[in-house]
């Protein structure tokens, strides 16, 4: 009782009017204080305040902490459940891509082989024209299927790499004719720095370069220039760049361009593709210990950069 009395005495100092009385072992506390007119207290607000004090159980600081901890625990449980569901769905999607890719690859390869055999026959010009279109579209579909299989392998950590040391410029020189065939309607400019040895999977790195150069041509006007350059970095790594003067990208698009299946909404109807090439390229470069990024101006073009670590063989 003395502690209660001391507490009441202290409470009296906090409000202008504080009265405490006891009747039939029931204590009553009366508080009065002035409310400024700026608070705009009306009868409806008074009823709300009255109901609050009548219906809400008083809680101690400990009870508030306990309730808050329980809320956080429930939130964490929900987040963990959502994470596990997302992982499961991603695994199922990867499994579907793998199975679908394998099932489609064989009949498509056979279909393209027959189309190419027919192209070599002495058919009339109109038939050959149709067969060339069939072969072109079959190649596109085959490329998409191989990309699906690549995603499945890479995300499962099962991508095969045949790493070896090669002379960079010799390797790139061997690809120039292939690159020119890929972009026959564009002006290809090659600017290479002094050659150094690099440690790469040649086929996988060719896949990266061809994808980036192909995209540069795809999103830029025929006859425009595409520039492939290399530059030795101070830390010994090698910087590749592919510059175009095409449609470019906005800042928000640049942030998402390496995401799986991402495609810029405005160009979906104008250009074919599944939005997997840059995602796969980024994964291949990551597995090589490198990285990739892009700088772009909407309507003015893009420059893709990627870095790989130079190989330093033992003397």
């Amino acid at each position: 009782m003395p502690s209660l009395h001391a507490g009441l005495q202290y409470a009296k100092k906090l409000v202008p009017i504080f009265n405490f009385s006891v009747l039939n072992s029931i204590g009553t506390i009366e508080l009065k204080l002035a409310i400024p007119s700026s608070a705009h207290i009306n009868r409806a607000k008074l009823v709300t305040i009255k109901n609050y004090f009548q219906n809400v159980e008083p809680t101690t600081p400990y009870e508030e902490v306990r309730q808050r901890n329980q809320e956080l625990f429930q939130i964490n449980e929900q987040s963990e459940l959502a994470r596990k569901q997302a992982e499961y769905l991603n695994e199922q999607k990867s499994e579907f891509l793998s199975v679908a890719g394998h099932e489609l690859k064989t009949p498509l390869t056979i279909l393209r082989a027959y189309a190419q055999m027919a192209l070599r026959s002495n058919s009339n010009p109109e038939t050959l024209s149709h067969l060339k279109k069939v072969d072109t579209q079959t190649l596109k579909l085959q490329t998409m299927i191989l990309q699906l299989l690549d995603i499945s392998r890479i995300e499962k950590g099962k991508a095969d790499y045949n790493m070896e040391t090669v002379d960079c410029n010799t390797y790139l020189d061997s690809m120039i004719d292939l690159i020119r065939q890929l972009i026959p309607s564009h002006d290809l400019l090659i600017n290479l720095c002094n050659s150094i040895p690099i440690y790469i999977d040649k086929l996988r790195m060719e896949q990266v370069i061809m994808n980036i150069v192909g995209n540069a041509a795809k999103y830029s006007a025929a006859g425009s220039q595409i520039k492939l350059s290399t530059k030795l970095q101070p830390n010994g790594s090698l910087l590749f760049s592919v510059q175009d003067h095409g449609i470019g990208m906005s800042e928000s698009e640049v942030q998402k361009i390496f995401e799986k299946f991402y495609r810029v909404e405005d160009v979906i109807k104008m250009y074919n593709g599944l939005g997997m090439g840059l995602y796969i390229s980024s994964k291949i470069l990551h597995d090589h210990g490198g990285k990739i990024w892009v700088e772009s101006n909407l309507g003015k073009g893009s420059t893709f950069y990627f870095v790989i670590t130079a190989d330093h063989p033992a003397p």
Side-chain angles (χ1 to χ4, degrees):
M1 189 69 179
S3 61
L4 175 62
H5 180 72
L8 294 176
Q9 292 298 324
Y10 179 75
K12 286 183 177 183
K13 299 177 182 179
L14 301 179
V15 292
I17 299 177
F18 181 98
N19 296 321
F20 174 72
S21 60
V22 178
L23 180 63
N24 298 327
S25 300
I26 298 176
T28 302
I29 297 176
E30 180 184 18
L31 303 176
K32 293 183 180 180
L33 66 160
I35 299 176
S37 59
S38 59
H40 302 294
I41 296 296
N42 53 33
R43 180 172 295 278
K45 289 184 179 179
L46 288 174
V47 171
T48 300
I49 294 171
K50 179 181 178 181
N51 290 337
Y52 176 84
F53 283 108
Q54 286 179 340
N55 300 324
V56 176
E57 291 289 334
T59 58
T60 64
Y62 170 80
E63 180 65 18
E64 290 181 1
V65 171
R66 189 190 68 80
Q67 291 179 357
R68 182 57 179 163
N69 285 341
Q70 185 175 5
E71 292 173 1
L72 290 174
F73 179 76
Q74 292 174 347
I75 292 173
N76 287 337
E77 275 194 327
Q78 293 171 355
S79 298
E80 180 66 15
L81 179 61
R83 184 186 66 80
K84 289 182 178 179
Q85 288 176 338
E87 288 181 352
Y88 173 76
L89 290 175
N90 193 52
E91 289 174 0
Q92 292 299 305
K93 182 171 61 178
S94 295
E95 184 66 22
F96 168 76
L97 292 178
S98 178
V99 173
H102 279 290
E103 291 299 319
L104 292 171
K105 183 180 178 181
T106 299
L108 188 62
T109 301
I110 296 172
L111 177 62
R112 187 165 185 233
Y114 276 117
Q116 291 177 332
M117 289 171 59
L119 281 170
R120 291 192 291 268
S121 65
N122 295 321
S123 301
N124 62 66
E126 185 178 1
T127 301
L128 288 175
S129 176
H130 293 327
L131 287 172
K132 285 180 180 178
K133 292 177 182 179
V134 170
D135 184 58
T136 299
Q137 296 304 317
T138 305
L139 177 60
K140 289 180 181 179
L141 186 54
Q142 188 178 47
T143 301
M144 291 178 183
I145 290 173
L146 291 175
Q147 287 180 338
L148 289 174
L149 292 173
D150 268 341
I151 287 179
S152 177
R153 295 190 191 103
I154 289 171
E155 292 188 339
K156 290 180 179 179
K158 295 181 179 179
D160 295 324
Y161 290 97
N162 181 25
M163 305 295 289
E164 58 183 303
T165 300
V166 299
D167 179 81
C168 179
N169 287 5
T170 302
Y171 170 68
L172 291 175
D173 286 342
S174 69
M175 290 179 56
I176 289 177
D177 287 341
L178 189 61
I179 295 174
R180 293 191 189 280
Q181 291 177 21
L182 177 69
I183 55 170
S185 301
H186 291 75
D187 179 21
L188 177 66
L189 177 63
I190 307 291
N191 183 18
L192 305 181
C193 66
N194 292 334
S195 190
I196 60 172
I198 52 176
Y199 190 61
I200 59 171
D201 180 309
K202 292 195 296 184
L203 289 178
R204 288 292 185 179
M205 195 55 59
E206 177 183 307
Q207 183 179 355
V208 170
I209 295 171
M210 298 296 280
N211 179 68
I212 295 174
V213 173
N215 273 355
K218 182 177 181 180
Y219 297 110
S220 59
S224 61
Q225 186 183 84
I226 295 173
K227 184 178 179 181
L228 170 64
S229 305
T230 61
K231 182 179 180 181
L232 189 61
Q233 301 296 92
N235 63 358
S237 62
L238 193 63
L239 174 67
F240 290 74
S241 64
V242 176
Q243 181 184 30
D244 67 62
H245 302 280
I247 62 175
M249 293 175 283
S250 67
E251 185 175 345
S252 61
E253 292 163 352
V254 166
Q255 299 298 320
K256 299 178 181 179
I257 196 65
F258 297 106
E259 294 179 4
K260 182 167 55 177
F261 299 119
Y262 176 76
R263 298 196 68 210
V264 177
E265 186 174 350
D266 292 340
V267 302
I268 289 177
K269 295 180 180 180
M270 299 173 59
Y271 303 94
N272 65 303
L274 295 179
M276 295 186 292
L278 289 175
Y279 171 77
I280 293 171
S281 296
S282 69
K283 292 296 184 182
I284 292 173
L285 288 166
H286 178 269
D287 291 345
H288 276 71
K291 61 179 180 179
I292 185 172
W293 69 97
V294 61
E295 296 176 358
S296 185
N297 291 309
L298 192 61
K300 296 182 178 180
S302 305
T303 302
F304 281 83
Y305 299 91
F306 62 94
V307 171
I308 59 174
T309 303
D311 181 58
H312 300 285

